[in-house]
Amino acid sequence: MTIVLDCAPETVDPIVALFTEAGAPTQSTPQRNLDGTAAASWLVVATIVAKQIPDTLRALAEFLTRDRVTRIEVGDLVLENPRPQDVDDILRRLGSSAGESAAGD
């Protein structure tokens, strides 16, 4: 599953390290304004094995308390200005959608 984060520049390296430690291929890039100048945020994209998502999202909660992550995309779910307590909601939603897809198979 792909996770996309919009985060502060000083948060990129620790988040990339977190994903790398989980064995997830990760890419990061600074966002650009329309005129090509650097914006004040970065995109981090990681592909995570489904069973590692809960632990990885819980580890991300530390960055959410410091308002360093402004957007999380996990599959079809998008959260703007996520809070640490949103991690449980994401996991609940992912769990129910996994159960629905398994029931449909």
Side-chain angles (χ1 to χ4, degrees):
M1 180 167 285
T2 301
I3 295 180
V4 179
L5 303 174
D6 188 337
C7 60
E10 63 274 9
T11 309
V12 172
D13 290 337
I15 288 177
V16 168
L18 173 76
F19 287 134
T20 302
E21 186 177 304
T26 306
Q27 294 181 346
S28 61
T29 185
Q31 293 195 63
R32 300 265 176 213
N33 293 320
L34 292 175
D35 64 1
T37 59
S41 65
W42 282 64
L43 283 179
V44 176
V45 181
T47 304
I48 298 181
V49 181
K51 65 181 180 181
Q52 291 179 321
I53 289 175
D55 291 337
T56 305
L57 287 177
R58 286 186 185 102
L60 277 175
E62 171 190 342
F63 297 100
L64 303 182
T65 60
R66 294 186 258 152
D67 297 325
R68 301 290 188 213
V69 176
T70 56
R71 178 180 168 108
I72 296 177
E73 294 180 33
V74 182
D76 295 336
L77 182 64
V78 177
L79 286 174
E80 298 283 343
N81 301 314
R83 300 165 299 156
Q85 55 269 36
D86 293 332
V87 169
D88 289 329
D89 186 45
I90 293 170
L91 294 173
R92 219 177 1 266
R93 290 182 187 190
L94 290 174
S96 66
S97 65
E100 289 168 8
S101 63
D105 289 338

